[in-house]
Amino acid sequence: MSSPALLPVSSRRLAALSPSSPVSFYPHHRATLRLSEKFILLLILSAFITLCFGAIFFLPDSSKHRRFDLGLQDVLIPHVEQGRSAGRDGSAGLQGGGVMVHGGGEEHRHRHRDEEEQLRKMIRADHERALEEAKEKLKKSKDQIRAEIQTEKNRVMQDMKKREGKQLPVVPIPKLVGINNGDPGDPDTREKQEKIKEMMKHAWDNYRQYAWGHNELKPLSRKGHTTNIFGNSQLGATIVDALDTLYIMGLFDEFRDGKEWIEKNLDFSVNAEVSVFEVNIRFIGGLLAAYYLSGEEVFKQKASQLAEKLLPSFNTPTGIPWAMVNLKSGVGRNWGWASAGSSILSEFGTLHLEFVHLSYLTGDPIYYKKVLHIRKLLQKMDRPNGLYPNYLNPRTGRWGQHHTSVGGLGDSFYEYLLKAWLVSDKTDTEARKMYDDAMQSIEKHLIRKSNTGLTFIGEWKNGHLERKMGHLTCFAGGMFALGADGSPDDKAGHYLQLGAEIAHTCHQSYDRTVLKLGPEAFKFDGGTEAVALRQNEKYYILRPEVIETYWYMWRFTHDPKYRQWGWEAAQAIDKYCRVIGGFSGVKDVYSSSPTYDDVQQSFFLAETLNDDLLPLDYWVFNTEAHPLPVLRSMNTTLSGNVALQ
Ligand code: DMJ
């Protein structure tokens, strides 16, 4: 039994006054009291009670009058005040708060009852909210536990494989150079090549000096930079993105520096929530390309370590991966801005090339299975007008908002359908068929000609075609050209022509600016053609898509105008984006005195190549321009023991 001393104050007080208390009030007086005395006593007592009772009614009403015991007033009064002031300005407040008449006894009680009811409601709502929050936390930790189990499983599997000492396939490293050992032959082109190399060195050296190990460089502030796609970690994104370019350009000292940093510092067990797509295209793509070019094992090892860390992102009810994953805990989630909790088409649809290569190199089919599962799922789904919407919910497997684009949010999904076919040495006909069908619907519903005959690719949004094209969409010119060979109904000429038209339009978007650099997005409305109208679409952040299309068009047609256009863009970048500390994006391509955004994007160092290196029948470029070899043996087996189909 608890002793009174241990009870709370109020309980202790009650215990002292209870009938079982050993203390009684003057027992010896009881017998001696007479009737008249009792009567007088009773009279006095009743007069006293009447006085007290009346006093309650005559007490002045005051908003400061504290009616609540047990300390509750401190919690509740602010709500009352809040409710009252809300009522005053007409918005939802406590009922009656605005009509109370001070001093009216009936109203007073009535108002207090209302207030008490309101307060009870608020307390209930608070409790419900707290309960919801607790549930949410519980759910999160469940996800975390699930992800951790999966990560552990993967690790054990990987260890088992190592112990089995399974022989991994000998990796054929294809020819690096095409005709003339990559030597352009004529002095003019050689000089331009040297200039591009010098620009690469300027970008690299400044990154090396001011931001080494950081993800990117702030060339004006001369310090490191990072964004949420890398989870605010320091993973040296620029080093990894630049490796293959350094190698191809023959900048071997720089390449060695990069390799050394990766060997010693690149650690993926960090508590960072990264974008699965970005990390795949920049890091896994970059590391694999560096491995294939140089044959250095460390790049392969790092790529497969990282790939393992991305696997928990696939732990969703549908197998469509989350957009982000925490590299340490394995917990995944989607971008807050994405429609109805959806994953993004261009993100989960741009894993195929790298994942096929990972299975090929590690002998573990898991990577290939993951991306094949995504494809099978997409293949089965209904598509409005044959178009793939950009949003897909990974919990329900249903499309989100019906927004389709060949630019941001959609772009590289289409590119990877084509490249899945190419990397399989043209044996993955399922991917080719999906690509061809998608192109047909895109041509029918999204591609139009402007009043003056510029071909553009618009976006399907809110039930109509938006006559706007993004800088990102400009990569499609190169994609059409790359896919021309092998297109159905002998439409190779048609697609090459379409590629040329898109290249022309995108060139116009550059040519119609003051800086001769293209805006982020441009319109085809009324009198406006290939020009950005909104201030927030006038920036250029060193993106490669337009130059990429020129590059493919040059490769397939050898029309010198594409080289010329590429050179013009390179000169404009050198003139307007170059600063002492590297290269920076600019905020307005229509202004003759542009301001800088102070970011040297890592993809800037991944983009520049010269003509005759890397023949396209041996190499497929991932979406970040990292070259991966065509897997010649894929039609029979993957990695010697993993069947492809
Ligand atoms: C690159 O990181 C890749 O090309 C990606 O597919 C989208 N675009 C950026 C650069 O603009």
Side-chain angles (χ1 to χ4, degrees), residues 14-46:
L14 282 174
L17 300 176
S18 77
S20 61
S21 164
V23 186
S24 57
F25 294 101
Y26 315 112
H28 57 285
H29 282 183
R30 248 184 252 155
T32 56
L33 283 177
R34 265 181 271 139
L35 207 69
S36 57
E37 288 166 333
K38 277 183 187 167
F39 183 66
I40 291 166
L41 213 65
L42 207 70
L43 256 178
I44 295 169
L45 204 70
S46 58

PDB file of all heavy atoms in Angstrom, residues 14-46:
ATOM      1  N   LEU A  14      -6.538  14.847   1.004  1.00  0.00           N
ATOM      2  CA  LEU A  14      -7.762  14.074   1.174  1.00  0.00           C
ATOM      3  C   LEU A  14      -7.592  13.002   2.229  1.00  0.00           C
ATOM      4  O   LEU A  14      -8.453  12.781   3.060  1.00  0.00           O
ATOM      5  CB  LEU A  14      -8.146  13.401  -0.153  1.00  0.00           C
ATOM      6  CG  LEU A  14      -8.812  14.304  -1.166  1.00  0.00           C
ATOM      7  CD1 LEU A  14      -9.006  13.549  -2.458  1.00  0.00           C
ATOM      8  CD2 LEU A  14     -10.146  14.803  -0.634  1.00  0.00           C
ATOM      9  N   ALA A  15      -6.438  12.368   2.213  1.00  0.00           N
ATOM     10  CA  ALA A  15      -6.186  11.307   3.181  1.00  0.00           C
ATOM     11  C   ALA A  15      -6.261  11.858   4.597  1.00  0.00           C
ATOM     12  O   ALA A  15      -6.822  11.243   5.495  1.00  0.00           O
ATOM     13  CB  ALA A  15      -4.817  10.694   2.923  1.00  0.00           C
ATOM     14  N   ALA A  16      -5.764  13.056   4.799  1.00  0.00           N
ATOM     15  CA  ALA A  16      -5.774  13.673   6.120  1.00  0.00           C
ATOM     16  C   ALA A  16      -7.189  13.932   6.607  1.00  0.00           C
ATOM     17  O   ALA A  16      -7.466  13.892   7.795  1.00  0.00           O
ATOM     18  CB  ALA A  16      -5.001  14.982   6.077  1.00  0.00           C
ATOM     19  N   LEU A  17      -8.114  14.177   5.652  1.00  0.00           N
ATOM     20  CA  LEU A  17      -9.484  14.507   6.036  1.00  0.00           C
ATOM     21  C   LEU A  17     -10.443  13.326   5.978  1.00  0.00           C
ATOM     22  O   LEU A  17     -11.608  13.475   6.250  1.00  0.00           O
ATOM     23  CB  LEU A  17     -10.016  15.624   5.135  1.00  0.00           C
ATOM     24  CG  LEU A  17      -9.226  16.926   5.191  1.00  0.00           C
ATOM     25  CD1 LEU A  17      -9.795  17.911   4.168  1.00  0.00           C
ATOM     26  CD2 LEU A  17      -9.272  17.536   6.583  1.00  0.00           C
ATOM     27  N   SER A  18     -10.002  12.181   5.648  1.00  0.00           N
ATOM     28  CA  SER A  18     -10.890  11.036   5.447  1.00  0.00           C
ATOM     29  C   SER A  18     -11.430  10.522   6.781  1.00  0.00           C
ATOM     30  O   SER A  18     -10.811  10.720   7.828  1.00  0.00           O
ATOM     31  CB  SER A  18     -10.135   9.930   4.730  1.00  0.00           C
ATOM     32  OG  SER A  18      -9.298   9.293   5.642  1.00  0.00           O
ATOM     33  N   PRO A  19     -12.627   9.838   6.789  1.00  0.00           N
ATOM     34  CA  PRO A  19     -13.235   9.344   8.022  1.00  0.00           C
ATOM     35  C   PRO A  19     -12.313   8.391   8.767  1.00  0.00           C
ATOM     36  O   PRO A  19     -12.374   8.286   9.979  1.00  0.00           O
ATOM     37  CB  PRO A  19     -14.487   8.613   7.559  1.00  0.00           C
ATOM     38  CG  PRO A  19     -14.698   9.004   6.147  1.00  0.00           C
ATOM     39  CD  PRO A  19     -13.408   9.499   5.626  1.00  0.00           C
ATOM     40  N   SER A  20     -11.484   7.708   8.083  1.00  0.00           N
ATOM     41  CA  SER A  20     -10.626   6.734   8.748  1.00  0.00           C
ATOM     42  C   SER A  20      -9.450   7.406   9.448  1.00  0.00           C
ATOM     43  O   SER A  20      -8.650   6.778  10.103  1.00  0.00           O
ATOM     44  CB  SER A  20     -10.108   5.702   7.753  1.00  0.00           C
ATOM     45  OG  SER A  20      -9.357   6.379   6.768  1.00  0.00           O
ATOM     46  N   SER A  21      -9.378   8.738   9.297  1.00  0.00           N
ATOM     47  CA  SER A  21      -8.283   9.439   9.942  1.00  0.00           C
ATOM     48  C   SER A  21      -8.390   9.290  11.454  1.00  0.00           C
ATOM     49  O   SER A  21      -9.470   9.394  12.030  1.00  0.00           O
ATOM     50  CB  SER A  21      -8.337  10.920   9.523  1.00  0.00           C
ATOM     51  OG  SER A  21      -7.543  11.652  10.384  1.00  0.00           O
ATOM     52  N   PRO A  22      -7.250   9.058  12.155  1.00  0.00           N
ATOM     53  CA  PRO A  22      -7.308   8.918  13.608  1.00  0.00           C
ATOM     54  C   PRO A  22      -7.672  10.228  14.324  1.00  0.00           C
ATOM     55  O   PRO A  22      -8.048  10.228  15.474  1.00  0.00           O
ATOM     56  CB  PRO A  22      -5.887   8.474  13.966  1.00  0.00           C
ATOM     57  CG  PRO A  22      -5.042   8.899  12.824  1.00  0.00           C
ATOM     58  CD  PRO A  22      -5.921   8.892  11.631  1.00  0.00           C
ATOM     59  N   VAL A  23      -7.604  11.356  13.621  1.00  0.00           N
ATOM     60  CA  VAL A  23      -7.890  12.648  14.263  1.00  0.00           C
ATOM     61  C   VAL A  23      -9.361  12.995  14.108  1.00  0.00           C
ATOM     62  O   VAL A  23      -9.877  13.014  13.018  1.00  0.00           O
ATOM     63  CB  VAL A  23      -7.041  13.773  13.617  1.00  0.00           C
ATOM     64  CG1 VAL A  23      -7.220  15.072  14.364  1.00  0.00           C
ATOM     65  CG2 VAL A  23      -5.592  13.346  13.516  1.00  0.00           C
ATOM     66  N   SER A  24     -10.109  13.288  15.255  1.00  0.00           N
ATOM     67  CA  SER A  24     -11.491  13.753  15.116  1.00  0.00           C
ATOM     68  C   SER A  24     -11.602  15.119  15.776  1.00  0.00           C
ATOM     69  O   SER A  24     -10.797  15.481  16.635  1.00  0.00           O
ATOM     70  CB  SER A  24     -12.451  12.746  15.740  1.00  0.00           C
ATOM     71  OG  SER A  24     -12.105  12.561  17.069  1.00  0.00           O
ATOM     72  N   PHE A  25     -12.679  15.918  15.410  1.00  0.00           N
ATOM     73  CA  PHE A  25     -12.787  17.274  15.932  1.00  0.00           C
ATOM     74  C   PHE A  25     -13.482  17.304  17.304  1.00  0.00           C
ATOM     75  O   PHE A  25     -14.654  17.011  17.394  1.00  0.00           O
ATOM     76  CB  PHE A  25     -13.577  18.152  14.953  1.00  0.00           C
ATOM     77  CG  PHE A  25     -12.854  18.339  13.656  1.00  0.00           C
ATOM     78  CD1 PHE A  25     -13.201  17.598  12.532  1.00  0.00           C
ATOM     79  CD2 PHE A  25     -11.812  19.244  13.590  1.00  0.00           C
ATOM     80  CE1 PHE A  25     -12.534  17.796  11.354  1.00  0.00           C
ATOM     81  CE2 PHE A  25     -11.147  19.433  12.402  1.00  0.00           C
ATOM     82  CZ  PHE A  25     -11.499  18.697  11.275  1.00  0.00           C
ATOM     83  N   TYR A  26     -12.857  17.709  18.333  1.00  0.00           N
ATOM     84  CA  TYR A  26     -13.390  17.902  19.704  1.00  0.00           C
ATOM     85  C   TYR A  26     -14.473  16.904  20.107  1.00  0.00           C
ATOM     86  O   TYR A  26     -15.601  17.287  20.362  1.00  0.00           O
ATOM     87  CB  TYR A  26     -13.949  19.323  19.862  1.00  0.00           C
ATOM     88  CG  TYR A  26     -13.028  20.356  19.284  1.00  0.00           C
ATOM     89  CD1 TYR A  26     -13.376  21.073  18.150  1.00  0.00           C
ATOM     90  CD2 TYR A  26     -11.777  20.589  19.891  1.00  0.00           C
ATOM     91  CE1 TYR A  26     -12.516  22.013  17.612  1.00  0.00           C
ATOM     92  CE2 TYR A  26     -10.918  21.535  19.343  1.00  0.00           C
ATOM     93  CZ  TYR A  26     -11.296  22.239  18.209  1.00  0.00           C
ATOM     94  OH  TYR A  26     -10.469  23.169  17.679  1.00  0.00           O
ATOM     95  N   PRO A  27     -14.252  15.638  20.210  1.00  0.00           N
ATOM     96  CA  PRO A  27     -15.314  14.660  20.529  1.00  0.00           C
ATOM     97  C   PRO A  27     -15.972  14.904  21.918  1.00  0.00           C
ATOM     98  O   PRO A  27     -17.164  14.682  22.069  1.00  0.00           O
ATOM     99  CB  PRO A  27     -14.595  13.330  20.460  1.00  0.00           C
ATOM    100  CG  PRO A  27     -13.156  13.639  20.625  1.00  0.00           C
ATOM    101  CD  PRO A  27     -12.959  15.015  20.114  1.00  0.00           C
ATOM    102  N   HIS A  28     -15.172  15.422  22.836  1.00  0.00           N
ATOM    103  CA  HIS A  28     -15.741  15.601  24.183  1.00  0.00           C
ATOM    104  C   HIS A  28     -16.778  16.699  24.226  1.00  0.00           C
ATOM    105  O   HIS A  28     -17.558  16.803  25.137  1.00  0.00           O
ATOM    106  CB  HIS A  28     -14.621  15.873  25.199  1.00  0.00           C
ATOM    107  CG  HIS A  28     -13.792  17.068  24.843  1.00  0.00           C
ATOM    108  ND1 HIS A  28     -12.862  17.037  23.835  1.00  0.00           N
ATOM    109  CD2 HIS A  28     -13.796  18.317  25.362  1.00  0.00           C
ATOM    110  CE1 HIS A  28     -12.286  18.232  23.750  1.00  0.00           C
ATOM    111  NE2 HIS A  28     -12.852  19.026  24.675  1.00  0.00           N
ATOM    112  N   HIS A  29     -16.898  17.599  23.275  1.00  0.00           N
ATOM    113  CA  HIS A  29     -17.921  18.656  23.259  1.00  0.00           C
ATOM    114  C   HIS A  29     -19.279  18.154  22.829  1.00  0.00           C
ATOM    115  O   HIS A  29     -20.272  18.718  23.185  1.00  0.00           O
ATOM    116  CB  HIS A  29     -17.517  19.782  22.278  1.00  0.00           C
ATOM    117  CG  HIS A  29     -16.478  20.695  22.835  1.00  0.00           C
ATOM    118  ND1 HIS A  29     -16.011  21.799  22.175  1.00  0.00           N
ATOM    119  CD2 HIS A  29     -15.822  20.668  24.033  1.00  0.00           C
ATOM    120  CE1 HIS A  29     -15.089  22.395  22.910  1.00  0.00           C
ATOM    121  NE2 HIS A  29     -14.956  21.697  24.063  1.00  0.00           N
ATOM    122  N   ARG A  30     -19.296  17.128  22.046  1.00  0.00           N
ATOM    123  CA  ARG A  30     -20.538  16.684  21.426  1.00  0.00           C
ATOM    124  C   ARG A  30     -21.691  16.522  22.435  1.00  0.00           C
ATOM    125  O   ARG A  30     -22.783  17.056  22.244  1.00  0.00           O
ATOM    126  CB  ARG A  30     -20.287  15.378  20.687  1.00  0.00           C
ATOM    127  CG  ARG A  30     -20.401  15.553  19.219  1.00  0.00           C
ATOM    128  CD  ARG A  30     -20.245  14.255  18.568  1.00  0.00           C
ATOM    129  NE  ARG A  30     -18.933  14.215  17.896  1.00  0.00           N
ATOM    130  CZ  ARG A  30     -18.246  13.132  17.622  1.00  0.00           C
ATOM    131  NH1 ARG A  30     -18.701  11.952  17.976  1.00  0.00           N
ATOM    132  NH2 ARG A  30     -17.116  13.208  17.014  1.00  0.00           N
ATOM    133  N   ALA A  31     -21.470  15.833  23.551  1.00  0.00           N
ATOM    134  CA  ALA A  31     -22.513  15.519  24.517  1.00  0.00           C
ATOM    135  C   ALA A  31     -23.014  16.749  25.265  1.00  0.00           C
ATOM    136  O   ALA A  31     -24.170  16.839  25.658  1.00  0.00           O
ATOM    137  CB  ALA A  31     -21.970  14.500  25.497  1.00  0.00           C
ATOM    138  N   THR A  32     -22.106  17.689  25.408  1.00  0.00           N
ATOM    139  CA  THR A  32     -22.468  18.848  26.229  1.00  0.00           C
ATOM    140  C   THR A  32     -23.231  19.938  25.479  1.00  0.00           C
ATOM    141  O   THR A  32     -23.770  20.841  26.088  1.00  0.00           O
ATOM    142  CB  THR A  32     -21.203  19.469  26.839  1.00  0.00           C
ATOM    143  OG1 THR A  32     -20.323  19.776  25.771  1.00  0.00           O
ATOM    144  CG2 THR A  32     -20.538  18.550  27.846  1.00  0.00           C
ATOM    145  N   LEU A  33     -23.325  19.890  24.185  1.00  0.00           N
ATOM    146  CA  LEU A  33     -24.020  20.943  23.428  1.00  0.00           C
ATOM    147  C   LEU A  33     -25.520  20.860  23.651  1.00  0.00           C
ATOM    148  O   LEU A  33     -26.109  19.783  23.518  1.00  0.00           O
ATOM    149  CB  LEU A  33     -23.738  20.816  21.928  1.00  0.00           C
ATOM    150  CG  LEU A  33     -22.378  21.309  21.435  1.00  0.00           C
ATOM    151  CD1 LEU A  33     -22.239  21.026  19.934  1.00  0.00           C
ATOM    152  CD2 LEU A  33     -22.252  22.793  21.671  1.00  0.00           C
ATOM    153  N   ARG A  34     -26.094  22.068  23.917  1.00  0.00           N
ATOM    154  CA  ARG A  34     -27.538  22.058  24.114  1.00  0.00           C
ATOM    155  C   ARG A  34     -28.268  22.467  22.857  1.00  0.00           C
ATOM    156  O   ARG A  34     -27.644  23.030  21.943  1.00  0.00           O
ATOM    157  CB  ARG A  34     -27.888  23.016  25.273  1.00  0.00           C
ATOM    158  CG  ARG A  34     -27.989  22.244  26.599  1.00  0.00           C
ATOM    159  CD  ARG A  34     -28.344  23.127  27.757  1.00  0.00           C
ATOM    160  NE  ARG A  34     -27.124  23.668  28.366  1.00  0.00           N
ATOM    161  CZ  ARG A  34     -27.036  24.909  28.764  1.00  0.00           C
ATOM    162  NH1 ARG A  34     -28.002  25.759  28.578  1.00  0.00           N
ATOM    163  NH2 ARG A  34     -25.954  25.337  29.349  1.00  0.00           N
ATOM    164  N   LEU A  35     -29.664  22.247  22.863  1.00  0.00           N
ATOM    165  CA  LEU A  35     -30.440  22.478  21.646  1.00  0.00           C
ATOM    166  C   LEU A  35     -30.382  23.934  21.180  1.00  0.00           C
ATOM    167  O   LEU A  35     -30.176  24.233  19.995  1.00  0.00           O
ATOM    168  CB  LEU A  35     -31.884  22.068  21.910  1.00  0.00           C
ATOM    169  CG  LEU A  35     -32.673  21.637  20.687  1.00  0.00           C
ATOM    170  CD1 LEU A  35     -32.123  20.312  20.172  1.00  0.00           C
ATOM    171  CD2 LEU A  35     -34.149  21.541  20.989  1.00  0.00           C
ATOM    172  N   SER A  36     -30.557  24.893  22.140  1.00  0.00           N
ATOM    173  CA  SER A  36     -30.543  26.312  21.758  1.00  0.00           C
ATOM    174  C   SER A  36     -29.203  26.705  21.148  1.00  0.00           C
ATOM    175  O   SER A  36     -29.126  27.434  20.158  1.00  0.00           O
ATOM    176  CB  SER A  36     -30.829  27.186  22.974  1.00  0.00           C
ATOM    177  OG  SER A  36     -29.871  26.896  23.962  1.00  0.00           O
ATOM    178  N   GLU A  37     -28.138  26.162  21.761  1.00  0.00           N
ATOM    179  CA  GLU A  37     -26.802  26.477  21.217  1.00  0.00           C
ATOM    180  C   GLU A  37     -26.668  25.943  19.797  1.00  0.00           C
ATOM    181  O   GLU A  37     -26.135  26.592  18.892  1.00  0.00           O
ATOM    182  CB  GLU A  37     -25.707  25.853  22.103  1.00  0.00           C
ATOM    183  CG  GLU A  37     -25.562  26.557  23.431  1.00  0.00           C
ATOM    184  CD  GLU A  37     -24.736  25.741  24.410  1.00  0.00           C
ATOM    185  OE1 GLU A  37     -24.722  24.498  24.276  1.00  0.00           O
ATOM    186  OE2 GLU A  37     -24.105  26.346  25.269  1.00  0.00           O
ATOM    187  N   LYS A  38     -27.220  24.685  19.645  1.00  0.00           N
ATOM    188  CA  LYS A  38     -27.165  24.086  18.293  1.00  0.00           C
ATOM    189  C   LYS A  38     -27.883  24.969  17.293  1.00  0.00           C
ATOM    190  O   LYS A  38     -27.434  25.185  16.171  1.00  0.00           O
ATOM    191  CB  LYS A  38     -27.828  22.711  18.300  1.00  0.00           C
ATOM    192  CG  LYS A  38     -26.918  21.606  18.767  1.00  0.00           C
ATOM    193  CD  LYS A  38     -27.657  20.311  18.645  1.00  0.00           C
ATOM    194  CE  LYS A  38     -26.841  19.181  19.280  1.00  0.00           C
ATOM    195  NZ  LYS A  38     -27.651  17.987  19.454  1.00  0.00           N
ATOM    196  N   PHE A  39     -29.045  25.519  17.706  1.00  0.00           N
ATOM    197  CA  PHE A  39     -29.840  26.337  16.799  1.00  0.00           C
ATOM    198  C   PHE A  39     -29.087  27.601  16.373  1.00  0.00           C
ATOM    199  O   PHE A  39     -29.019  27.966  15.194  1.00  0.00           O
ATOM    200  CB  PHE A  39     -31.166  26.683  17.492  1.00  0.00           C
ATOM    201  CG  PHE A  39     -32.082  27.473  16.615  1.00  0.00           C
ATOM    202  CD1 PHE A  39     -32.629  26.922  15.473  1.00  0.00           C
ATOM    203  CD2 PHE A  39     -32.388  28.795  16.933  1.00  0.00           C
ATOM    204  CE1 PHE A  39     -33.465  27.652  14.665  1.00  0.00           C
ATOM    205  CE2 PHE A  39     -33.211  29.516  16.111  1.00  0.00           C
ATOM    206  CZ  PHE A  39     -33.762  28.966  14.989  1.00  0.00           C
ATOM    207  N   ILE A  40     -28.497  28.258  17.395  1.00  0.00           N
ATOM    208  CA  ILE A  40     -27.746  29.489  17.101  1.00  0.00           C
ATOM    209  C   ILE A  40     -26.593  29.192  16.148  1.00  0.00           C
ATOM    210  O   ILE A  40     -26.356  29.896  15.169  1.00  0.00           O
ATOM    211  CB  ILE A  40     -27.229  30.124  18.411  1.00  0.00           C
ATOM    212  CG1 ILE A  40     -28.424  30.666  19.213  1.00  0.00           C
ATOM    213  CG2 ILE A  40     -26.233  31.262  18.141  1.00  0.00           C
ATOM    214  CD1 ILE A  40     -28.115  30.997  20.642  1.00  0.00           C
ATOM    215  N   LEU A  41     -25.935  28.080  16.429  1.00  0.00           N
ATOM    216  CA  LEU A  41     -24.785  27.672  15.590  1.00  0.00           C
ATOM    217  C   LEU A  41     -25.209  27.455  14.141  1.00  0.00           C
ATOM    218  O   LEU A  41     -24.554  27.879  13.183  1.00  0.00           O
ATOM    219  CB  LEU A  41     -24.208  26.379  16.161  1.00  0.00           C
ATOM    220  CG  LEU A  41     -22.701  26.229  16.007  1.00  0.00           C
ATOM    221  CD1 LEU A  41     -21.973  27.287  16.822  1.00  0.00           C
ATOM    222  CD2 LEU A  41     -22.281  24.835  16.488  1.00  0.00           C
ATOM    223  N   LEU A  42     -26.388  26.788  14.032  1.00  0.00           N
ATOM    224  CA  LEU A  42     -26.921  26.501  12.686  1.00  0.00           C
ATOM    225  C   LEU A  42     -27.226  27.783  11.930  1.00  0.00           C
ATOM    226  O   LEU A  42     -26.953  27.922  10.725  1.00  0.00           O
ATOM    227  CB  LEU A  42     -28.183  25.665  12.842  1.00  0.00           C
ATOM    228  CG  LEU A  42     -28.493  24.761  11.663  1.00  0.00           C
ATOM    229  CD1 LEU A  42     -27.453  23.635  11.625  1.00  0.00           C
ATOM    230  CD2 LEU A  42     -29.896  24.190  11.785  1.00  0.00           C
ATOM    231  N   LEU A  43     -27.822  28.754  12.679  1.00  0.00           N
ATOM    232  CA  LEU A  43     -28.156  30.045  12.070  1.00  0.00           C
ATOM    233  C   LEU A  43     -26.908  30.738  11.520  1.00  0.00           C
ATOM    234  O   LEU A  43     -26.866  31.213  10.383  1.00  0.00           O
ATOM    235  CB  LEU A  43     -28.814  30.953  13.120  1.00  0.00           C
ATOM    236  CG  LEU A  43     -30.314  31.135  13.022  1.00  0.00           C
ATOM    237  CD1 LEU A  43     -30.816  32.026  14.151  1.00  0.00           C
ATOM    238  CD2 LEU A  43     -30.695  31.718  11.670  1.00  0.00           C
ATOM    239  N   ILE A  44     -25.902  30.791  12.381  1.00  0.00           N
ATOM    240  CA  ILE A  44     -24.645  31.454  11.981  1.00  0.00           C
ATOM    241  C   ILE A  44     -24.061  30.780  10.752  1.00  0.00           C
ATOM    242  O   ILE A  44     -23.668  31.423   9.771  1.00  0.00           O
ATOM    243  CB  ILE A  44     -23.622  31.440  13.144  1.00  0.00           C
ATOM    244  CG1 ILE A  44     -24.143  32.279  14.304  1.00  0.00           C
ATOM    245  CG2 ILE A  44     -22.240  31.936  12.687  1.00  0.00           C
ATOM    246  CD1 ILE A  44     -23.356  32.133  15.587  1.00  0.00           C
ATOM    247  N   LEU A  45     -24.101  29.449  10.804  1.00  0.00           N
ATOM    248  CA  LEU A  45     -23.520  28.670   9.691  1.00  0.00           C
ATOM    249  C   LEU A  45     -24.233  28.947   8.375  1.00  0.00           C
ATOM    250  O   LEU A  45     -23.623  29.203   7.331  1.00  0.00           O
ATOM    251  CB  LEU A  45     -23.604  27.179  10.040  1.00  0.00           C
ATOM    252  CG  LEU A  45     -22.592  26.315   9.329  1.00  0.00           C
ATOM    253  CD1 LEU A  45     -21.199  26.619   9.894  1.00  0.00           C
ATOM    254  CD2 LEU A  45     -22.916  24.835   9.551  1.00  0.00           C
ATOM    255  N   SER A  46     -25.612  28.957   8.445  1.00  0.00           N
ATOM    256  CA  SER A  46     -26.346  29.162   7.191  1.00  0.00           C
ATOM    257  C   SER A  46     -26.140  30.582   6.660  1.00  0.00           C
ATOM    258  O   SER A  46     -26.061  30.807   5.444  1.00  0.00           O
ATOM    259  CB  SER A  46     -27.828  28.838   7.340  1.00  0.00           C
ATOM    260  OG  SER A  46     -28.351  29.635   8.356  1.00  0.00           O
TER     261      SER A  46
END
